Amino acid sequence: MGVAKAVKGYLISNDIDYDVIEHELTMTTSEAAMASHISPGKVAKGVLIRGEDGYLVAVVPANRRVLLDELEACMQEAVNLASEDEAAGLLTDCSRG
């Protein structure tokens, strides 16, 4: 799978450099990193977060987790991971996983 249109559009509109590396189908970003022979710490993953005013995406290295308590403290609001069903409804050009 390539880069989601919304993500690609954001990167381009904000003049952010990125590389697309083709690999076999995987279910996680860590697996994608391994399939691409790249350290998971050098591959970014987006994590969909539900906040009080809507959704946001936290971008972290593939081998890391979003620390929700630290994110809540930084944002000064309650946040939770969005469900896979929420993600599927919002990110229609992405596959589950």
Side-chain angles (χ1 to χ4, degrees), residues 17-91:
D17 291 330
Y18 66 96
D19 293 315
V20 175
I21 299 172
E22 300 293 327
H23 60 81
E24 65 204 36
L25 180 63
T26 58
M27 291 304 295
T28 69
T29 309
S30 291
E31 290 174 1
M34 288 187 286
S36 302
H37 307 288
I38 299 172
S39 167
K42 296 190 181 278
V43 175
K45 68 179 175 183
V47 181
L48 187 62
I49 305 292
R50 183 184 342 97
E52 293 175 3
D53 295 324
Y55 295 93
L56 59 109
V57 176
V59 179
V60 296
N63 62 348
R64 299 296 180 113
R65 294 176 181 236
V66 175
L67 302 174
L68 293 176
D69 56 337
E70 290 187 22
L71 185 57
E72 284 182 339
C74 182
M75 294 184 59
Q76 299 182 342
E77 68 176 79
V79 297
N80 290 293
L81 295 176
S83 69
E84 282 199 29
D85 288 339
E86 289 172 297
L90 292 166
L91 307 169

